[in-house]
Amino acid sequence: MEQTTVDQAKQLGLTESEFDKIKELIGRIPNFTELGIFSAMWNEHCSYKSSRVWLSKLPTKNKYVVQGPGENAGVIDIGDDDVAIFKIESHNHPSYIEPYQGAATGVGGILRDVFTMGARPIANLNSIRFGKPEHPKTKHLLNGVVSGIAGYGNCMGIPTVGGEVEFDECYDGNILVNAMNIGLAKKNKVFLSIASGVGNPVIYVGSKTGRDGIHGASMASQEFDDNSEAKKPTVQVGDPFAEKLLLEACLELMKTDTIISIQDMGAAGLTSSSVEMASKGKLGIEIDLNKVPCRETEMQPFELMLSESQERMLIVLKEGKEKEAEKIFKKWDLDFSVIGKMTNSKNLVLHFNKEVVCDIPISSLADEAPKYNREWISTPLPEEINIDKKLNDLDIKDCLIKLLTHPNQSNKSWVWEQYDHMVMGDTIQKPGGDAAVVRVHGTNKAIAATVDCTPRYCFAHPHTGGMQAVCETYRNLSAVGAEPRAITNCLNFGNPEKKEIMGQFVEVIKGMSEACLALDYPVISGNVSLYNETNGIGIKPTPTIGGVGLIQDSNKSTTISIKATGNLLLIIGETKGHIHQSALCYDILHIKKGPPPTINLAEEKKNSLFVRNLINKKIAQSVHDISDGGIALTIAEMCMSGKIGANITTNLIDAERIKFLFGEDQARYVVEVRSADYDNVVKLAKEQEVSLLQIGSTKAENLTIDDMKITVEDMLTLNNKWFHNYNSN
């Protein structure tokens, strides 16, 4: 076959030095199919070549971890021989080019990552970020992404139970669509992708292969420019109905004793799935491409291997079990084709039209892929700036109203009401609270889950921002009464070839690692999305963290809704009034300088444990962690959720009062307790050396803060109007 050139390698996203390394590894010049396979396996999306050095430093184990990074998803023990299987992944670039299909196939891909391991998916979450609302593309992208997430998840019959939505101009040219899924399985029925057994058959199942998605993984590993719209053909097209059939067929097959290994055909399609299975098993794999089911004519080897058509799986079966497995897939009206076998050659060998069109060592595609320790520079901690004069002139009510009506703090029900969050009947807490809560079917246990990140903190000081993102999920899980057990992460950054961007990545990882170690809260799966830049302008570092915890008794789960009048409101955790990088400064006052709030990991752990104990003893009537908008917005959200007011007294004036109410010191919660329980709570707080402050009490109709008064009804009206107005114009 015709030899390739360095120019062709560059067109496929490889560098000249990488092309030279390929020639060295295989001892010759690759043909076009082989070069395409290298470009897929060596791109950033599949090889993690810029991030592997640092990802290896993340803590990945605790007593609950059954399977950490390296598989399709991570697995934790939740007792009673049950496991939770979960992961978060990005579909950023495709969603910017074609928002509906990009978001839909992002959901489909993460679902396959979970059910390919033997789990039945029980909950979807997402983290979606867009440019400034007035940008000409934002409304189109927002509507398309939300519709795509809803269209796929709803058709699959899997509830979408939580997430976050944010607008910032840094995402004008690169929106973020991060999709998370959680599934449940039995501990002894977890399936891995490690192939074994020379001679065992390799099976293609699911939908037919088309030309959609070719170069999809490569596109996700490059910056955008003004011609990004031309990349629409690389966006995959999803079919949730086919995926539902594939899910049921795979779970049915998993009840039999036929599977050696199973792998989703995700990024880079048949290439990545076949190479990863063989590499993990230290075997070779031989495939006859003429046996791949196609929905388009005259598809060439390059296209067959790199297509990212959706709803497909690759399975290695025990020899002789083909007929038994085929019967199941035919019943579900899905393609089933024996396309190859495992070999001891340790090579990827492809046949097409009775010719060998590829014969390259598996190791050259996997273990020997480039691994770069890129240069990086640190982001120094910004100095505090004196803004007291500006704060002195602020009116509490005006600040609160501006936060309530800002796109980032407004009610997001317009988004989540398009998702079916109650299907399957086990959703205990729907979107809108600190964390989603989903019952483990047929039991009293529940899984709690949340996704969080504060990019403005990460941009100001990546090390602190990385810690805070982990701690925020830890608090949100604790606030509903869950014991936090592990995280998954989706690390969204700009171009790693720029020293300052690589520095952001390195320092976020360092911050995450410190938090995970201190909280015994390891990373068990995840994804890295780099090159989120357009015309050289990158996004803020956005390490989205998906946290998962366990509630042993779901009857003890707590919400943010104030429950009754006459109760006391307590602040757990010390308030110092850190106002820099707060939502008030950043979004309302447009003061974007200064350091993010400091993180005290010992306080995070101690205060979270204290709050969980109050919940388990049924002392806490409602709980809300204090984050964006500080104490004032936290209590306002509790009032709106419970439709009950509160009376708050600060005994402060001017700038100090604004800092106290709107500052974003970490490791804090607002807890509602009955008056009769107050003395006991104070006693427990003293014993455990937890900072506690009674700030007020609950009452009907109004939120009163010192001399400021606003009705709960008015707050609800203000908080609900932004999305309605934005999408009705």
Side-chain angles (χ1 to χ4, degrees):
M1 297 183 73
E2 186 179 345
Q3 294 180 341
T4 52
T5 65
V6 68
D7 287 340
Q8 288 175 310
K10 288 178 179 178
Q11 288 170 10
L12 292 174
L14 295 163
T15 66
E16 185 170 353
S17 63
E18 287 171 346
F19 186 60
D20 289 340
K21 183 175 180 179
I22 291 168
K23 291 186 290 185
E24 180 185 329
L25 285 171
I26 67 174
R28 57 182 171 81
I29 298 173
N31 64 44
F32 190 68
T33 298
E34 292 169 333
L35 186 64
I37 288 168
F38 272 105
S39 77
M41 291 305 298
W42 283 18
N43 67 48
E44 202 71 61
H45 195 75
C46 293
S47 74
Y48 296 97
K49 58 190 175 186
S50 296
S51 57
R52 273 190 293 166
V53 169
W54 295 102
L55 293 175
S56 64
K57 300 181 186 300
L58 289 167
T60 59
K61 295 178 181 177
N62 68 7
K63 65 182 180 180
Y64 301 114
V65 176
V66 176
Q67 175 65 54
E71 269 297 334
N72 287 292
V75 185
I76 58 168
D77 193 325
I78 58 169
D80 308 306
D81 291 324
D82 295 324
V83 294
I85 300 179
F86 59 94
K87 188 181 184 183
I88 189 169
E89 276 213 341
S90 62
H91 231 223
N92 303 333
H93 287 63
S95 298
Y96 182 77
I97 293 170
E98 214 303 299
Y100 184 94
Q101 290 296 349
T105 52
V107 173
I110 200 65
L111 285 170
R112 289 193 301 280
D113 280 337
V114 168
F115 75 72
T116 192
M117 296 191 70
R120 179 170 289 281
I122 63 160
N124 289 325
L125 296 92
N126 57 74
S127 172
I128 52 180
R129 289 183 160 84
F130 303 91
K132 54 184 179 288
E134 60 271 23
H135 189 277
K137 285 189 176 181
T138 297
K139 189 180 295 187
H140 164 70
L141 292 167
L142 171 69
N143 281 280
V145 165
V146 171
S147 296
I149 291 169
Y152 210 99
N154 294 356
C155 288
M156 285 291 293
I158 297 163
T160 300
V161 296
E164 56 177 351
V165 184
E166 183 183 22
F167 299 87
D168 188 282
E169 63 184 1
C170 77
Y171 306 109
D172 281 351
N174 284 85
I175 65 172
L176 300 185
V177 176
N178 297 172
M180 178 176 172
N181 181 258
I182 306 165
L184 296 176
K186 286 298 180 183
K187 196 171 182 179
N188 64 348
K189 293 295 280 184
V190 174
F191 291 82
L192 305 179
S193 60
I194 304 168
S196 64
V198 172
N200 280 333
V202 176
I203 316 296
Y204 172 118
V205 299
S207 297
K208 288 179 167 59
T209 295
R211 290 187 170 92
D212 54 321
I214 295 173
H215 296 310
S218 298
M219 175 190 66
S221 307
Q222 298 170 359
E223 287 186 34
F224 277 163
D225 55 29
D226 293 329
N227 298 317
S228 297
E229 291 293 325
K231 295 180 180 178
K232 278 193 176 181
T234 64
V235 177
Q236 310 93 322
V237 178
D239 180 352
F241 299 104
E243 178 122 335
K244 175 64 173 171
L245 298 178
L246 184 61
L247 163 65
E248 298 301 339
C250 286
L251 292 181
E252 185 174 337
L253 182 68
M254 287 165 174
K255 292 177 182 176
T256 68
D257 184 29
T258 61
I259 299 175
I260 297 289
S261 66
I262 180 168
Q263 173 77 39
D264 161 42
M265 287 193 219
L270 186 53
T271 290
S272 62
S273 54
S274 58
V275 169
E276 286 173 15
M277 292 171 92
S279 174
K280 289 173 184 176
K282 301 191 183 326
L283 292 171
I285 187 168
E286 193 170 327
I287 294 173
D288 183 349
L289 293 176
N290 293 105
K291 294 184 178 178
V292 173
C294 298
R295 68 168 186 263
E296 298 185 44
T297 59
E298 298 183 11
M299 289 192 70
Q300 297 303 302
F302 176 90
E303 298 171 314
L304 291 165
M305 289 302 292
L306 298 188
S307 167
E308 292 183 12
S309 294
Q310 298 290 285
E311 296 86 40
R312 302 179 302 158
M313 292 280 195
L314 200 63
I315 304 173
V316 177
L317 289 177
K318 292 180 180 178
E319 197 168 2
K321 298 289 187 178
E322 295 92 329
K323 293 296 181 187
E324 182 181 351
E326 182 176 17
K327 187 177 177 183
I328 291 171
F329 283 90
K330 292 302 181 187
K331 183 185 93 172
W332 289 99
D333 197 27
L334 293 165
D335 276 291
F336 179 100
S337 179
V338 181
I339 64 169
K341 63 183 179 181
M342 304 309 301
T343 69
N344 60 8
S345 70
K346 296 191 177 180
N347 278 19
L348 171 67
V349 179
L350 304 177
H351 299 270
F352 185 71
N353 292 343
K354 298 182 179 178
E355 290 184 11
V356 174
V357 294
C358 170
D359 188 352
I360 46 182
I362 293 286
S363 61
S364 68
L365 297 166
D367 297 338
E368 294 174 287
K371 183 159 65 173
Y372 298 130
N373 193 350
R374 296 193 184 277
E375 291 185 46
W376 60 278
I377 55 175
S378 177
T379 301
L381 183 68
E383 292 185 6
E384 291 198 11
I385 56 173
N386 190 335
I387 57 172
D388 283 7
K389 189 174 180 181
K390 290 185 178 180
L391 300 181
N392 284 337
D393 298 331
L394 297 180
D395 176 75
I396 297 173
K397 189 171 185 177
D398 182 59
C399 291
L400 182 59
I401 287 172
K402 283 178 177 174
L403 282 169
L404 288 169
T405 54
H406 190 276
N408 288 340
Q409 312 307 332
S410 63
N411 185 304
K412 306 298 194 306
S413 59
W414 176 87
V415 175
W416 56 257
E417 283 175 357
Q418 296 185 55
Y419 310 146
D420 191 335
H421 46 272
M422 298 303 292
V423 66
M424 298 176 78
D426 284 316
T427 303
I428 295 172
Q429 280 204 42
K430 64 184 183 181
D434 280 326
V437 180
V438 180
R439 185 183 295 104
V440 176
H441 191 72
T443 76
N444 210 28
K445 294 186 300 187
I447 296 290
T450 181
V451 286
D452 294 289
C453 183
T454 310
R456 63 181 185 275
Y457 292 176
C458 297
F459 183 70
H461 191 239
H463 186 273
T464 301
M467 282 198 288
Q468 192 274 341
V470 172
C471 293
E472 175 78 7
T473 67
Y474 195 85
R475 286 199 301 275
N476 280 331
L477 295 175
S478 297
V480 299
E483 177 195 7
R485 293 215 162 166
I487 67 171
T488 181
N489 61 63
C490 193
L491 307 177
N492 308 275
F493 289 79
N495 184 345
E497 296 165 45
K498 296 178 179 177
K499 293 179 185 179
E500 67 274 16
I501 302 297
M502 195 65 218
Q504 291 172 352
F505 184 87
V506 169
E507 294 191 315
V508 161
I509 290 283
K510 288 182 176 181
M512 287 173 55
S513 296
E514 286 181 36
C516 289
L517 283 170
L519 301 173
D520 191 25
Y521 191 41
V523 178
I524 65 165
S525 61
N527 169 239
V528 177
S529 175
L530 303 177
Y531 294 95
N532 289 288
E533 296 203 5
T534 296
N535 293 326
I537 301 172
I539 64 166
K540 288 184 174 67
T542 310
T544 306
I545 307 296
V548 174
L550 180 68
I551 302 175
Q552 296 287 0
D553 181 356
S554 59
N555 292 319
K556 294 181 178 178
S557 173
T558 311
T559 70
I560 72 170
S561 305
I562 289 177
K563 300 300 185 297
T565 58
N567 287 338
L568 302 180
L569 293 175
L570 314 177
I571 306 295
I572 307 300
E574 189 176 1
T575 299
K576 297 179 180 178
H578 185 100
I579 199 72
H580 295 97
Q581 297 299 331
S582 64
L584 178 68
C585 278
Y586 190 91
D587 287 328
I588 309 304
L589 304 179
H590 305 295
I591 300 170
K592 301 186 178 183
K593 294 181 179 179
T598 57
I599 307 294
N600 184 319
L601 294 170
E603 291 290 303
E604 291 283 1
K605 191 168 188 177
K606 179 175 65 175
N607 295 351
S608 291
L609 183 60
F610 180 75
V611 167
R612 293 202 301 272
N613 286 338
L614 293 184
I615 293 170
N616 285 328
K617 292 175 179 177
K618 293 202 167 183
I619 294 173
Q621 302 301 298
S622 66
V623 179
H624 196 3
D625 92 300
I626 299 173
S627 56
D628 291 348
I631 290 169
L633 189 60
T634 298
I635 292 175
E637 288 172 345
M638 295 173 77
C639 291
M640 291 187 292
S641 183
K643 294 184 172 57
I644 294 174
N647 187 24
I648 306 302
T649 304
T650 70
N651 295 317
L652 297 167
I653 60 170
D654 298 334
E656 294 308 308
R657 182 165 66 169
I658 293 295
K659 290 176 184 178
F660 178 83
L661 289 171
F662 297 99
E664 296 180 8
D665 303 291
Q666 301 293 290
R668 297 184 301 158
Y669 304 79
V670 175
V671 179
E672 175 195 4
V673 302
R674 291 179 290 255
S675 298
D677 290 321
Y678 177 68
D679 289 342
N680 186 29
V681 174
V682 170
K683 180 172 176 258
L684 291 169
K686 283 182 179 176
E687 289 172 356
Q688 295 169 40
E689 299 181 342
V690 167
S691 174
L692 181 150
L693 173 69
Q694 182 195 339
I695 192 173
S697 58
T698 62
K699 65 170 193 174
E701 296 182 4
N702 301 318
L703 170 61
T704 303
I705 303 177
D706 295 339
D707 55 354
M708 185 280 289
K709 181 186 287 188
I710 185 170
T711 69
V712 174
E713 187 176 336
D714 283 348
M715 288 196 297
L716 281 164
T717 300
L718 290 164
N719 196 227
N720 289 334
K721 76 178 187 179
W722 188 84
F723 267 96
H724 173 76
N725 290 347
Y726 186 65
N727 287 286
S728 61
N729 291 335

